[in-house]
């Protein structure tokens, strides 16, 4: 459909920001799929780069497309990370984690000098929160952790996949938290991180440097 064409266009556009010799952060999700496919074509044409995958799914796509990989332990610092998002607000704060990779995505993106977000125009919002906020939690006694999260005026729902509890690449669970609206993303992120049993939140605050938006008639570049 049209959304997929817009994801393909914006994913491919991001590859224009990749320079020879860069060490990259490789995000996760269906928009990043198109970025990886294009990146593999450029590598095949002689581009010299290496990438740190932010999920096993991204690792598989990178191998399929011939994108050379390194671990974050080897790379330490990255020149540029390219990732998707579920929501982007006017301050470039993000909701992420729809694909369940938020912890490794945040670790990879945090290690990068520059972060480019690639989204279909439907992801742009005035306020975060319409998309249930993914929060990664420790499985041990998860019900107690979820109950503490609920006290922040939300409804945390344990993520399942094919009727099984979804387990992240890090062996943790995810609760998707339905807030009426998120008026203070910074404060909410801090409150969540203070809760015993919470590993990481899908709130990516003050991380994105550039947002590429796939629109009907092309790609719009938003700079903060
Ligand atoms: O899970 C994630 O954070 C992904 O980046 C996701 O938010 C973007 O998914 P999409 O590109 O498939 O819409």
């Amino acid at each position: 459909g049209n959304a997929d064409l817009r994801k393909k266009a914006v994913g491919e556009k991001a590859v224009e920001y990749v320079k020879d010799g860069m060490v990259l952060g490789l995000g996760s999700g269906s928009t990043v799929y198109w970025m990886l496919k294009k990146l593999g074509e450029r590598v095949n044409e002689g581009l010299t780069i290496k990438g740190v995958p932010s999920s096993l799914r991204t690792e598989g796509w990178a191998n399929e497309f011939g994108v050379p990989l390194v671990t974050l332990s080897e790379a330490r610092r990255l020149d540029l990370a390219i990732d998707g998002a579920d929501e982007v607000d006017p301050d470039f704060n993000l909701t992420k984690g729809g694909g369940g990779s938020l912890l490794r995505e945040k670790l990879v993106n945090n290690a990068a000098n520059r972060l480019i977000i690639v989204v279909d125009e439907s992801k742009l919002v005035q306020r975060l929160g319409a998309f249930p906020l993914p929060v990664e939690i420790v499985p041990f006694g998860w019900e107690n952790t979820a109950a503490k999260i609920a006290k922040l005026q939300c409804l945390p729902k344990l993520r399942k996949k094919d009727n099984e509890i979804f387990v992240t690449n890090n062996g943790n669970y995810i609760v998707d938290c339905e807030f009426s609206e998120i008026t203070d993303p910074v404060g909410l992120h801090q409150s969540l991180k203070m809760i015993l049993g919470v590993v990481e939140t899908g709130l990516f605050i003050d991380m994105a440097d550039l947002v590429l938006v796939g629109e009907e008639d092309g790609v719009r570049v938003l700079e903060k």
Side-chain angles (χ1 to χ4, degrees), residues 85-96 123-133 177 179-186 188-189 201-206:
D86 295 299
E87 291 177 325
V88 183
D89 81 1
D91 298 321
F92 284 14
N93 291 322
L94 317 173
T95 304
K96 283 179 57 56
K123 308 292 188 70
L124 299 184
V125 296
Q126 278 309 313
R127 263 203 179 147
L128 302 179
F131 189 92
L133 177 64
C177 305
F179 289 88
S180 53
E181 64 173 357
I182 298 176
T183 53
D184 172 17
V186 177
L188 176 59
H189 171 73
T201 82
L203 289 170
F204 284 49
I205 306 295
D206 198 24

Side-chain angles (χ1 to χ4, degrees), residues 30 180 199:
S30 62
S180 53
V199 177

Side-chain angles (χ1 to χ4, degrees), residues 7 28-31 83-86 96-100 105 123:
K7 288 186 173 186
S28 296
S30 62
T31 308
D83 203 350
D86 295 299
K96 283 179 57 56
E105 287 172 330
K123 308 292 188 70

